[in-house]
Amino acid sequence: MSRRRQSYDAGVVHFRRLLGSPVVLRTRRFLATPVALRQLALASLIANAVLVVTGGAVRLTGSGLGCPTWPECTAGSYVTTPKMGMHGVIEFGNRTLTLVVGALALACVAAVLAQPSRRRSLVRLSTLVLCGIPAQAVIGGLTVLTKLNPWVVALHFLASIAVIAAAYALWRRADEPDGAVRLTVPPPVRGLAWAVTVASVAVLVVGTVVTGSGPHAGDEHARRTGLDPGAVAQLHADLVFLLIGLSIGAWYALRAVGGSARVAGVLIAVELGQGVIGFVQYFTHLPILAVALHMAGSCAVWWATLALLYATRTRDVPVAEPGALTEPAALAAAR
């Protein structure tokens, strides 16, 4: 037997022992529980929101080019070096957090696959979240390679918002059965919830244009969009007023039909808080702390918007076809 073959066999034996170790067995048993799936999905959702905030911190501290290249941090090194200073530490820290977010997304996929009843919907959603992380990283790399082009920076933020939506869907679906969607409110109220969602997306999109037109570019040499910051900020404010008006309408509509008006109330409260922060940062000439709070608030508004949309529907337990075996019966038959 060749030495290479012996090394291979020894590696296989070691790997099998590792899989059978008490720690791995306990981890596998934990991942197979519905509680683990819900907790990991929530952790993934929170981590993606935190990633948005830390990305904002990179821009607000002028550290956008703290790592001047990608995928390396600097030529010949994937990590920051002492001569890159604090800007390098901040930018590299944000890149490192991406690895944490990716690990949580991978853990969600593992938990979905470990469940006794593997659900296609959860497999798709968890895979979508996992695929969104490297996509974010690539767009983040493009922001560096294009020297913080404001339109690419905007795309990076919006990609994060899309991943947050997928992570939220995974978290909610983990608690739902796989039956057909059933509205809990009349169709016009559901349509109003969708209108709120569209308005929320519009606010986020235009908000990125406001950011790309003003200061805090992430680097003093980064170019801006060239648009008038005042005019873009006014359009953003107009869309915010539209969003608040639609949200108030949704609150009244949900009260009238006996729906979950409390969810709409939370959304309105978050929007008003975000609006106050927006006005403060505008009239105080965009201090860093106010802008950071505003970025965190954008994630909160998006989360509350998704909660409103999901509050207008539910899923029923799927009905087994006549003659079909239930899951326990199918398992028994397979034995």
Side-chain angles (χ1 to χ4, degrees):
M1 182 181 295
S2 67
R3 182 169 299 179
R4 179 178 297 179
R5 179 65 182 180
Q6 289 176 338
S7 299
Y8 173 79
D9 291 342
V12 170
V13 171
H14 179 73
F15 182 69
R16 288 176 177 174
R17 287 177 180 173
L18 179 63
L19 290 180
S21 67
V23 174
V24 172
L25 290 176
R26 284 196 295 268
T27 301
R28 290 170 61 183
R29 284 195 294 268
F30 172 71
L31 289 176
T33 63
V35 173
L37 177 57
R38 288 193 296 269
Q39 291 178 346
L40 287 171
L42 179 58
S44 177
L45 174 59
I46 294 173
N48 276 284
V50 172
L51 186 63
V52 171
V53 178
T54 59
V58 170
R59 179 171 57 83
L60 293 171
T61 57
S63 305
L65 295 177
C67 288
T69 186
W70 187 89
E72 293 181 315
C73 185
T74 187
S77 176
Y78 284 92
V79 300
T80 185
T81 59
K83 72 175 185 178
M84 296 167 68
M86 185 55 65
H87 290 322
V89 172
I90 294 173
E91 166 64 4
F92 180 71
N94 187 60
R95 293 188 182 190
T96 303
L97 183 59
T98 302
L99 298 178
V100 176
V101 176
L104 284 171
L106 183 61
C108 286
V109 173
V112 168
L113 296 178
Q115 297 300 302
S117 178
R118 188 173 300 176
R119 298 166 56 187
R120 292 181 184 176
S121 59
L122 297 184
V123 172
R124 287 194 295 266
L125 284 171
S126 60
T127 303
L128 181 61
V129 174
L130 179 61
C131 292
I133 308 305
Q136 283 177 295
V138 170
I139 298 173
L142 289 176
T143 65
V144 174
L145 297 178
T146 58
K147 305 301 180 184
L148 305 181
N149 181 295
W151 301 109
V152 182
V153 173
L155 180 61
H156 192 208
F157 172 80
L158 295 175
S160 295
I161 291 300
V163 174
I164 288 174
Y168 185 87
L170 174 63
W171 177 52
R172 290 297 298 264
R173 287 300 308 276
D175 273 332
E176 293 181 336
D178 276 335
V181 172
R182 175 173 56 85
L183 297 185
T184 57
V185 296
V189 180
R190 171 73 167 176
L192 181 56
W194 271 111
V196 170
T197 304
V198 172
S200 185
V201 171
V203 167
L204 292 171
V205 171
V206 177
T208 65
V209 181
V210 175
T211 298
S213 305
H216 305 309
D219 186 82
E220 59 181 349
H221 301 298
R223 70 181 183 89
R224 304 281 73 202
T225 63
L227 301 175
D228 178 24
V232 179
Q234 183 61 58
L235 174 60
H236 181 62
D238 292 341
L239 288 172
V240 169
F241 285 126
L242 173 63
L243 174 60
I244 293 175
L246 289 171
S247 301
I248 293 173
W251 182 77
Y252 276 110
L254 288 168
R255 280 178 57 89
V257 300
S260 183
R262 182 181 63 84
V263 177
V266 171
L267 173 59
I268 294 168
V270 173
E271 289 168 350
L272 292 176
Q274 176 75 334
V276 169
I277 296 172
F279 278 113
V280 168
Q281 71 171 2
Y282 181 80
F283 289 111
T284 56
H285 307 291
L286 303 173
I288 289 178
L289 179 60
V291 177
L293 290 174
H294 200 59
M295 290 199 67
S298 66
C299 293
V301 168
W302 183 229
W303 192 330
T305 299
L306 295 172
L308 173 65
L309 184 62
Y310 274 76
T312 60
R313 34 72 76 205
T314 187
R315 285 182 180 270
D316 295 320
V317 177
V319 179
E321 297 180 1
L325 291 176
T326 61
E327 182 182 342
L331 291 174
R335 292 171 186 166

